[in-house]
Amino acid sequence: MALAQPACADIYRYEDEEGVVHFTDAPTDKKFKVFLRDLRKDRQLRTRFRVAQGNPQQYEQLIQASAAKYGVNAALVKAVIQAESGYNPNAVSRAGASGLMQLMPGTAKQLKVADAFNPKQNVDGGVRYLKFLLDTFKGDVSLALAAYNAGMGKVAKYGGIPPYEETRTYVSRVLSYMGSY
């Protein structure tokens, strides 16, 4: 006898102009944003899901100040930090990105971040870079996040989020974290 398996699907939502909230597991429009992520279905997200390793409260004032300085949503900054480093200021990726916002050495140099492990410099540089990407992609958060992960050239080449599983997972993960801040 076969046992019934639970349905597996991400749930997306958006609120229309009249205040009606719409939910779906098969979004047909960019207005839909991830509302509930199905971790059972998404093996890569489940294995890469990070809980905060550092203390998010320790960086709250720094995040708020940088977000206000550059006009970037503080919840977006927190979500990027959560996804990138799990609030570990000493994090180093296998690609060589470092610090809270995982700045690549070349990007850090362009942003004049002398010490990527210094939380103040790292967050300031990372938020400044995020603002640049948001401006470049006319406020489209998903495209800015894709560029933060894969590079602007890849987003331009594909005319949107590149077809890389890592980048698509990254964008979804940051957007889902953003909803929790």
Side-chain angles (χ1 to χ4, degrees):
M1 181 187 320
L3 296 174
Q5 294 292 321
C8 297
D10 295 333
I11 304 298
Y12 299 80
R13 83 180 275 283
Y14 94 91
E15 187 172 338
D16 66 22
E17 313 79 43
E18 297 174 11
V20 176
V21 179
H22 302 264
F23 293 94
T24 185
D25 63 350
T28 56
D29 192 293
K30 287 176 71 173
K31 294 176 188 174
F32 282 98
K33 302 296 178 202
V34 174
F35 175 71
L36 182 63
R37 171 74 54 204
D38 186 344
L39 295 178
R40 291 171 302 181
K41 178 184 73 87
D42 195 332
R43 189 177 63 85
Q44 182 177 3
L45 181 61
R46 186 175 65 243
T47 58
R48 298 189 64 181
F49 188 75
R50 296 181 185 193
V51 294
Q53 297 166 341
N55 178 2
Q57 281 304 101
Q58 181 179 353
Y59 305 105
E60 183 67 25
Q61 284 185 303
L62 180 61
I63 292 166
Q64 292 295 336
S66 290
K69 179 178 178 182
Y70 297 109
V72 175
N73 183 328
L76 175 59
V77 176
K78 292 175 189 181
V80 168
I81 292 172
Q82 177 66 46
E84 290 287 349
S85 70
Y87 282 88
N88 177 355
N90 300 311
V92 179
S93 76
R94 63 186 180 280
S98 52
L100 287 168
M101 295 192 75
Q102 291 290 279
L103 299 176
M104 290 297 288
T107 304
K109 186 175 181 179
Q110 287 177 333
L111 295 167
K112 305 212 182 324
V113 173
D115 180 3
F117 296 107
N118 175 307
K120 186 174 192 263
Q121 290 183 38
N122 187 285
V123 171
D124 184 81
V127 174
R128 197 165 5 119
Y129 185 52
L130 211 46
K131 174 64 172 171
F132 167 75
L133 294 173
L134 287 165
D135 288 348
T136 299
F137 294 104
K138 297 179 173 61
D140 187 318
V141 175
S142 294
L143 292 181
L145 290 171
Y148 196 94
N149 178 263
M152 289 189 336
K154 298 292 184 193
V155 173
K157 175 181 177 181
Y158 291 102
I161 298 173
Y164 309 136
E165 186 176 345
E166 176 188 335
T167 301
R168 291 179 180 270
T169 299
Y170 175 81
V171 171
S172 293
R173 182 171 51 238
V174 173
L175 292 175
S176 67
Y177 288 161
M178 194 174 159
S180 67
Y181 288 111

